[in-house]
Amino acid sequence: MHHQNHFDLVIVGGGTAGTFSAIAAAREGLSTAVIEKNSYLGGMATGSGLTEMNAAGFRESPLYKGIEKEIFDEMIAEGFAEYHFAVPMSSNKEVKIDRLRYNPEMLKILLETKATESGVTLFYQAELDSAEENEDGCIVHARSLYETFTLTSDYLIDATGNADLIRKLGCETIKTQADKQLVSTLMFRLSNVDLTKLDAFIHSEELGKIIQEGYEAGILKGKILAFTPIPGTKDVSLNVTRAKFDYEDIRGASMGLAEARRQILPVYHFVQKRVPGMEASYIANIASVIGVRDGRRIQGQYMLTLDDLEQMTNFEDSIACGCYPMDIHDPVTNSVIWKVLPGVYHIPYRSLLPKGLHRTLAAGKCLGAEKKAFAAIRVMPIMMNVGESAGYAVALAKCEKKKLDELTAASLSQCLTDKYSR
Ligand SMILES: Cc1cc2nc3c(=O)[nH]c(=O)nc-3n(C[C@H](O)[C@H](O)[C@H](O)COP(=O)(O)OP(=O)(O)OC[C@H]3O[C@@H](n4cnc5c(N)ncnc54)[C@H](O)[C@@H]3O)c2cc1C
């Protein structure tokens, strides 16, 4: 059997952003491959126990569009997702945001179906080894458990969430000092919850008191106890464990993961006793992937700042938008530092262009942003929007026979207007 080894576009990382890049590019007619180290698509959105798209809308009006809208609408219609307006955050009830709650297993199925139906070639359980970007094209060396393989392409997208590809292409990346990195969380799910009782509790003043009690007793390691009901089930996902480690130090990261898992049982006993609705609950799942909030980012042609978000700078090469507040899971105070932003802000294409490269884009949370801006834009609906637009940008470059840094803001903007208004 002949295996295709050359693609218009190779994407490393089939997570939250990479999957949307892949579907968008493949639907535009590009031969597209995804190299993904997990055995499913969706990354954090499907594998880390997350069940809530943060700031999926702004003041009761959904912000999602394009493929994101297609997928969310299908999930809502099937009862696998629900839009909730102005939900308070457990770590600060004054901060209220619109959220789309969803069933991650259904999202997993949908993403894979859409990708394969669009013609995307999947390389699951495969990891990037090394890569090159040359004048005429790119080369990617990867490996699975059983073989090494090489793909060539006209363009590359780094959607690894930690700029792994761009780093291996020899470019400078930015990493936050280990003791200042955002805290990581291992999510887990409780089943058989009385959701009516829990919902009343989440909206009451009691939640804050219980968080304080649990924190003082040393059961909660941070001032957060976030419950997210999963639509169509009696399950609730918990964002509560806290682990501090340098994500690139394998020993520290492994111990951090074990420490986060160790926190689960005491938390479970605590909420079962203290939180209404949890009396008959049981632990149904512990996420297979720990959620690492921090990550390497590229040195982009433009570095997005918190000021840009506060000013809602309307870049002429805007490719995505969002409204999530700055949300820093602080390793020093063990609390969440919030800064609510005034409205809908934009992300420019130039922040996806790594300095020194011409055929590679960064999509997802490794794009070029300063630390405080990163702490706002990193949420899933924004990353999906960024990913999808990156896919369209590559298709436009292919069509115009250009390198990625040769696209003009005007033609990109026209292209995105066309794609999103279909
Ligand atoms: C604990 C935690 C809680 C969060 N809570 C929320 C929330 O409630 N709501 C919300 O909207 N957002 C939340 N976020 C933010 C959001 O989940 C992420 O920032 C977003 O999903 C990042 O998308 P991404 O595509 O950049 O990365 P990911 O989704 O992580 O995708 C990266 C993909 O690349 C793959 N990969 C990495 N390296 C390689 C390699 N070398 N070779 C092959 N594959 C590779 C990974 O397996 C993964 O599938 C949370 C994040 C964390 C960590």
Side-chain angles (χ1 to χ4, degrees):
M1 191 170 142
H2 172 72
H3 288 299
Q4 181 183 0
N5 289 322
H6 180 82
F7 295 86
D8 294 322
L9 169 63
V10 170
I11 299 166
V12 184
T16 315
T19 305
F20 280 74
S21 299
I23 300 170
R27 286 185 181 176
E28 291 302 304
L30 267 59
S31 57
T32 304
V34 174
I35 297 173
E36 167 53 53
K37 69 178 174 177
N38 293 328
S39 50
Y40 53 84
L41 292 176
M44 282 295 295
T46 55
S48 68
L50 289 180
T51 56
E52 199 161 48
M53 301 282 168
N54 272 339
F58 182 61
R59 295 190 189 143
E60 217 164 347
S61 172
L63 262 186
Y64 46 88
K65 55 191 178 183
I67 299 167
E68 204 174 326
K69 178 164 171 21
E70 175 187 320
I71 289 175
F72 290 179
D73 283 352
E74 271 178 50
M75 290 213 294
I76 291 170
E78 299 278 338
F80 297 128
E82 287 165 4
Y83 186 88
H84 289 262
F85 172 59
V87 185
M89 303 303 288
S90 86
S91 53
N92 183 341
K93 288 173 80 66
E94 300 306 308
V95 181
K96 295 182 177 154
I97 56 167
D98 290 10
R99 309 187 201 181
L100 187 104
R101 290 183 177 155
Y102 66 96
N103 181 324
E105 301 309 325
M106 293 306 138
L107 181 60
K108 211 181 261 179
I109 293 171
L110 262 181
L111 292 178
E112 192 172 67
T113 307
K114 302 247 176 228
T116 51
E117 282 178 359
S118 309
V120 175
T121 303
L122 298 172
F123 293 86
Y124 277 147
Q125 294 185 305
E127 234 175 297
L128 175 68
D129 256 344
S130 62
E132 287 167 45
E133 192 201 274
N134 302 314
E135 179 59 23
D136 302 323
C138 313
I139 307 172
V140 171
H141 302 286
R143 80 188 122 82
S144 71
L145 267 178
Y146 306 103
E147 58 175 332
T148 55
F149 58 96
T150 298
L151 305 179
T152 58
S153 67
D154 297 340
Y155 304 100
L156 295 173
I157 289 184
D158 183 338
T160 58
N162 54 18
D164 194 29
L165 167 63
I166 286 165
R167 205 171 158 216
K168 285 181 173 147
L169 286 168
C171 289
E172 192 190 335
T173 53
I174 301 161
K175 183 185 175 196
T176 306
Q177 202 180 299
D179 60 345
K180 298 208 166 69
Q181 289 173 11
L182 304 179
V183 175
S184 296
T185 294
L186 181 64
M187 309 272 298
F188 64 100
R189 184 156 47 91
L190 298 181
S191 285
N192 203 29
V193 174
D194 182 330
L195 293 171
T196 314
K197 278 162 84 178
L198 177 68
D199 195 58
F201 170 76
I202 291 174
H203 287 89
S204 76
E205 294 304 318
E206 280 305 297
L207 175 61
K209 291 183 197 154
I210 296 284
I211 291 176
Q212 194 56 33
E213 181 187 321
Y215 185 70
E216 279 168 14
I219 298 165
L220 306 182
K221 304 297 176 193
K223 293 169 196 161
I224 180 172
L225 180 58
F227 303 95
T228 309
I230 303 172
T233 73
K234 289 170 81 181
D235 292 8
V236 166
S237 174
L238 274 85
N239 179 342
V240 50
T241 68
R242 313 260 93 187
K244 298 175 196 175
F245 54 82
D246 179 356
Y247 52 84
E248 286 178 1
D249 162 21
I250 183 70
R251 292 165 204 263
S254 301
M255 290 313 289
L257 176 52
E259 160 58 23
R261 207 163 3 235
R262 211 172 10 251
Q263 292 170 22
I264 291 176
L265 217 46
V267 170
Y268 166 60
H269 290 313
F270 176 68
V271 297
Q272 199 187 27
K273 210 161 114 200
R274 303 290 289 120
V275 175
M278 291 296 187
E279 298 81 358
S281 68
Y282 60 91
I283 300 172
N285 175 268
I286 300 173
S288 55
V289 175
I290 186 163
V292 177
R293 290 187 176 84
D294 231 287
R296 274 186 193 267
R297 301 186 297 286
I298 64 158
Q299 194 59 258
Q301 281 198 9
Y302 186 85
M303 294 300 284
L304 192 68
T305 65
L306 185 64
D307 197 47
D308 288 326
L309 307 186
E310 286 189 280
Q311 302 299 323
M312 295 178 281
T313 312
N314 201 352
F315 301 99
E316 56 174 357
D317 59 342
S318 164
I319 52 131
C321 63
C323 64
Y324 190 64
M326 185 196 81
D327 155 11
I328 293 180
H329 289 251
D330 187 36
V332 180
T333 59
N334 293 324
S335 56
V336 185
I337 302 167
W338 291 96
K339 184 175 187 69
V340 176
L341 297 162
V344 176
Y345 50 72
H346 292 265
I347 296 171
Y349 177 65
R350 281 161 297 150
S351 61
L352 277 62
L353 282 171
K355 273 190 183 160
L357 295 177
H358 310 283
R359 296 184 168 276
T360 306
L361 286 182
K365 71 177 195 180
C366 59
L367 61 77
E370 290 177 353
K371 198 177 168 205
K372 287 182 177 170
F374 165 76
I377 62 165
R378 62 189 176 84
V379 291
M380 296 184 286
I382 304 179
M383 292 303 119
M384 290 173 170
N385 191 196
V386 167
E388 181 172 348
S389 296
Y392 294 138
V394 174
L396 179 67
K398 174 87 186 163
C399 169
E400 293 186 350
K401 297 191 172 47
K402 283 183 171 165
K403 293 179 182 164
L404 294 165
D405 53 352
E406 291 170 348
L407 292 179
T408 65
S411 100
L412 184 61
S413 166
Q414 185 58 55
C415 162
L416 295 180
T417 305
D418 293 347
K419 303 302 171 207
Y420 286 111
S421 56
R422 280 185 295 204

